[in-house]
Amino acid sequence: MTAPTIGLYGLGTMGAALALNMAEKGVSVQVANRTASAVLRFMDRAGSLAENIQGHQTLGGLIAGLPAPRLLVAMIPSTAPMDGFLDDVIGQLSPGDTVIDAGNADFHDTRRRAARLAEHGLHFVGLGVSGGEEGARHGPSMMMGGSPESWAGLEPILTRIAAKHGEDPCVVRCGPDGAGHFVKTVHNGIEYADMQMIAEVYDLLRFGGGRDVRDVSAIFKDWNAGRLESYLMETTGEVLSYADAPTNLPFIDLIEDKAGQKGTGRWTVIEAVRLGQSASMIEAAVAARAWSAEKALRGVVEETFGADRADLDLDVGLLEQAMLAARVLEYAQGFRILAAASQEYDWGLDPVRIAQIWRAGCIIRARLLDDIAEALAEEPPEGQLFLAPRFSGVLMQGIPALREVVTRAAEAGYATPVLSAALTFWDVLRQGRGTASLIQAQRDFFGRHGFERTDQDGDFHGPWWK
Ligand code: 6PG
C-alpha cells in the first residue's frame, strides 16, 4: 500500500511539529513556507525523517507536486492571511481538492470559507488541533469539520498521527464546515475555566493558607494522582516547583500577573450567548483574564481601598471535593453549548465521541473525561451531565464543599470568579421555582410584554394594566 500523501504550508512551530509527526508515522509529507529558507532549515532538522518529506521552494511547486485529490494543510493564522492564502490557491487547485485550516479559527470564518471553496468544487476543512507543540509533534487530539469526501482522504492520516487513548485514536469528524473549529473553541473555553479555577485554588492555598509554594506544588501533584488527575493539574504542580536560578525565588513570583488570550475563550462565551445559553464559568474565566490585564488600574484601587485579606486555612480535602464538583459543572456547561450549537447548525455532534477524543492529547485531558464519556453514553436525564447518576455522589459531596470554599473565601476577601460562578449556576438550577416571575412582572409593567400564569393557559397582563 502506498503511503498517504499530504501537503503542508507554513513551517512555524505547530506546522513543523505536525509535519514531523506525519513523517514519523509513515505519511508522505510535502512542505513549503512563505520564506523558502525555512524549508531548508526544517529539512535539516528533520534528520532521518526527511526521507518521508519533500521540500518545495514555492507554494505553486507544492501544489503541483501533490497527487489528486490534493490534501493541503495551511498552518498560517486563521485570520486575514488565511483568506489571502485561499485567494492564491483557489485557481491552482482542482475540483475535489481539500484545503485544511489546522489553526484556531472562528467557526463563522470556517463556514464562510467552506461555502466559498464549495463554489469551486473544493473542500475546506476546519481542523481543531489541541495539545500545543508537544501534542502536534507526538499526538494531538483533533476535531475535524468538513465534508465526508475530505474526511475519507484525511482519516487514514489523522488516525495515524492522533494521540491514542489506549488503542483509540483521538480524532473525530465532528460534522460539516465549522463543526470542528466550534468544538475546538468550546474545548478552549473549558480550558480557560479549568485554568482559572486552578489559579483560584492556588491563591487560597498559598496566600490564604500561608503555605510555601513548594508545598502548594506538592498538593497539586498529589491531587494529580487522584480523581482530579488532568494535564492542567500536572502542569500546575510542575510550574510551581521551579525556582529562579540566581535568586532562588519561586519562579512563579517573577511572572507578571497579566494573562494573555488569543480569543477562543471569548468566542465560546459570545457563541453561548448567541445560542441563548450561558457559559458562566467560562465567562468568569475570560473576565478574570481581562481584569488581570488592567494591572495599573488594580494598583490604583489597591492603593485607594486596600488589599487586606484575612488568613484562610481551608482543608485540602475540602478544596479537592469543591474542585471536582466545579469541574463536572464546567464540562457540563461546555457540553450544553455543544448541544445547542449542534441543534442550531444541524451538525449532529456526537457528545460521547467528543468526550472520548478529549481523553488524550489535548490540553483539557482529565481522568474525569472517562466518566463523562460514559455518563453521556448512558444518556443522562434531560441530557445533562450533572443529572447523570454517576456524578450524583461527586455533587452531593462536592457542592457543600464548594459552598464552604466560596463563602469563606468571600468573607476573607479572596476572589473566586469561576468557583463562585459554579456555585451560582448550581443554586439557580436546583430551584424548581426561581425569581423570574418578578422579571416577567417588571417586563409587563413597563412594556406590556405579557407573561404566562401558573394557574391558567394563555398570555396575560398584570392588574397594573387596567
Ligand atoms: C490547545 C490550546 C491552544 C491555545 C493555547 C493558548 O488546545 O492546544 O488550546 O490551541 O492556543 O492554549 O490560548 P490562549 O492564548 O487564548 O490562552
Side-chain angles (χ1 to χ4, degrees):
M1 206 179 96
T2 53
T5 303
I6 196 163
L8 188 144
Y9 181 79
L11 291 169
T13 310
M14 292 294 281
L18 265 184
L20 292 175
N21 183 0
M22 293 195 266
E24 192 171 68
K25 306 290 159 50
V27 176
S28 166
V29 196
Q30 304 202 18
V31 298
N33 193 67
R34 192 166 53 87
T35 51
S37 55
V39 177
L40 294 175
R41 282 199 303 276
F42 172 73
M43 295 301 285
D44 262 2
R45 207 183 118 196
S48 64
L49 294 177
E51 67 182 31
N52 284 343
I53 305 174
Q54 191 184 336
H56 293 273
Q57 293 300 296
T58 61
L59 175 57
L62 168 62
I63 292 174
L66 290 171
R70 298 179 182 92
L71 297 171
L72 177 60
V73 180
M75 288 302 292
I76 57 177
S78 302
T79 45
M82 183 60 69
D83 289 313
F85 177 81
L86 296 179
D87 292 341
D88 285 349
V89 300
I90 282 176
Q92 303 181 57
L93 296 172
S94 316
D97 290 351
T98 296
V99 177
I100 301 120
D101 174 1
N104 280 325
D106 183 331
F107 84 105
H108 292 294
D109 288 335
T110 308
R111 283 166 67 82
R112 172 175 58 75
R113 289 167 184 151
R116 179 182 178 199
L117 263 64
E119 286 172 16
H120 301 268
L122 302 169
H123 303 282
F124 188 76
V125 164
L127 183 68
V129 178
S130 180
E133 183 184 358
E134 182 67 13
R137 175 66 185 85
H138 297 291
S141 169
M142 287 172 288
M143 293 137 259
M144 185 270 191
S147 63
E149 294 91 323
S150 51
W151 175 241
L154 280 171
E155 187 182 7
I157 297 175
L158 298 184
T159 49
R160 282 189 200 201
I161 66 166
K164 306 287 181 302
H165 181 266
E167 297 289 300
D168 186 15
C170 290
V171 56
V172 61
R173 175 178 177 258
C174 300
D177 52 68
H181 274 152
F182 186 83
V183 174
K184 176 61 174 37
T185 297
V186 173
H187 163 286
N188 282 27
I190 296 171
E191 172 186 308
Y192 273 50
D194 207 62
M195 291 169 75
Q196 174 61 27
M197 171 176 84
I198 290 172
E200 291 166 18
V201 172
Y202 156 73
D203 188 30
L204 294 171
L205 284 170
R206 181 158 179 216
F207 301 105
R211 288 181 183 80
D212 185 274
V213 71
R214 280 166 301 215
D215 297 335
V216 179
S217 162
I219 292 170
F220 278 103
K221 286 181 177 170
D222 209 39
W223 280 337
N224 192 48
R227 292 178 304 171
L228 282 172
E229 181 191 330
S230 72
Y231 174 68
L232 287 170
M233 203 55 70
E234 179 192 337
T235 305
T236 307
E238 173 84 8
V239 297
L240 292 177
S241 70
Y242 283 82
D244 178 48
T247 60
N248 208 28
L249 288 169
F251 196 82
I252 189 76
D253 293 351
L254 302 178
I255 301 178
E256 194 66 87
D257 59 340
K258 295 192 287 191
Q261 52 179 320
K262 296 202 196 76
T264 44
R266 188 165 56 228
W267 296 340
T268 310
V269 175
I270 290 169
E271 292 313 323
V273 173
R274 274 204 185 118
L275 291 162
Q277 288 273 332
S278 170
S280 57
M281 296 175 70
I282 300 171
E283 204 280 328
V286 174
R289 286 202 194 188
W291 292 328
S292 82
E294 294 191 75
K295 175 94 179 161
L297 174 65
R298 287 189 285 120
V300 172
V301 179
E302 172 174 343
E303 221 165 89
T304 314
F305 290 97
D308 295 345
R309 307 196 292 186
D311 292 345
L312 180 60
D313 189 16
L314 289 168
D315 179 73
V316 170
L318 185 85
L319 284 165
E320 183 182 22
Q321 284 180 354
M323 286 181 94
L324 204 54
R327 197 175 253 179
V328 170
L329 296 178
E330 88 196 354
Y331 277 92
Q333 288 197 346
F335 277 97
R336 282 162 56 81
I337 305 169
L338 290 178
S342 184
Q343 206 173 13
E344 172 79 14
Y345 298 103
D346 204 14
W347 281 335
L349 296 181
D350 176 354
V352 178
R353 190 65 195 136
I354 291 168
Q356 287 171 345
I357 65 114
W358 284 349
R359 290 179 302 179
C362 68
I363 304 292
I364 62 169
R365 61 187 186 260
R367 183 192 279 199
L368 189 67
L369 276 161
D370 285 324
D371 278 332
I372 290 178
E374 281 172 34
L376 291 167
E378 288 158 8
E379 300 189 354
E382 309 294 322
Q384 305 291 336
L385 264 182
F386 43 74
L387 290 176
R390 67 175 59 230
F391 289 129
S392 62
V394 166
L395 292 172
M396 295 283 232
Q397 282 194 316
I399 297 292
L402 182 62
R403 188 176 305 288
E404 183 171 344
V405 169
V406 169
T407 51
R408 289 183 59 196
E411 268 168 13
Y414 295 81
T416 55
V418 165
L419 293 171
S420 301
L423 185 63
T424 299
F425 177 52
W426 187 252
D427 280 340
V428 168
L429 278 181
R430 70 191 181 85
Q431 293 302 315
R433 180 166 169 82
T435 55
S437 49
L438 181 56
I439 305 296
Q440 288 298 78
Q442 290 167 332
R443 291 177 68 241
D444 187 61
F445 186 89
F446 62 65
R448 229 188 235 278
H449 293 292
F451 49 76
E452 293 173 55
R453 288 181 63 123
T454 55
D455 55 349
Q456 295 167 47
D457 288 337
D459 189 33
F460 296 91
H461 295 287
W464 38 83
W465 290 108
K466 294 275 176 338

